Amino acid sequence: MFILALIVITASNNVPTSLGAETNGDYLACKNTLSCGDITGLTYPFWGDLGNNNNRPKNCGDPNLEITCQDNGVPRFTVDSVTYRILHWDIGKQNLTVARDDYF
């Protein structure tokens, strides 16, 4: 019985977590982060194409949270016709600080 359990555990360590993930361009592009001005390392739930290899496809984030980089490096996104600017992003602390663009 011990031998059978050992074989199952050993075999399961060699199974890829996502079949074909290493060759799937869409999957690999989701590892990209976005940078705009002083804000760097934007990942999920954001996506966008900011140019110069600074992009994450739409399937890598929430479809409503496209980042645009405007006005000397100010990252913005729009939700329900209200535009917000990102003031601070700390993924380590899972902290995002935003302000309504029209009130800023």
Side-chain angles (χ1 to χ4, degrees):
M1 187 65 153
F2 175 75
I3 299 289
L4 181 60
L6 184 62
I7 291 171
V8 169
I9 290 171
T10 304
S12 67
N13 286 337
N14 294 324
V15 176
T17 56
S18 178
L19 297 176
E22 296 82 20
T23 58
N24 186 330
D26 289 339
Y27 172 79
L28 293 174
C30 291
K31 292 182 179 183
N32 295 346
T33 62
L34 296 171
S35 297
C36 178
D38 293 336
I39 307 298
T40 61
L42 290 169
T43 58
Y44 187 85
F46 301 109
W47 67 277
D49 187 353
L50 307 180
N52 297 328
N53 294 325
N54 186 14
N55 60 55
R56 287 175 49 86
K58 190 174 187 174
N59 65 299
C60 295
D62 184 296
N64 298 312
L65 296 178
E66 178 182 12
I67 293 293
T68 60
C69 190
Q70 306 166 355
D71 300 334
N72 300 324
V74 177
R76 292 182 170 92
F77 63 94
T78 302
V79 176
D80 294 332
S81 301
V82 178
T83 301
Y84 298 89
R85 60 175 54 204
I86 297 176
L87 304 176
H88 180 73
W89 166 261
D90 186 340
I91 190 149
K93 294 181 181 178
Q94 297 183 356
N95 189 351
L96 173 69
T97 306
V98 300
R100 281 184 56 149
D101 202 39
D102 56 346
Y103 291 166
F104 191 79

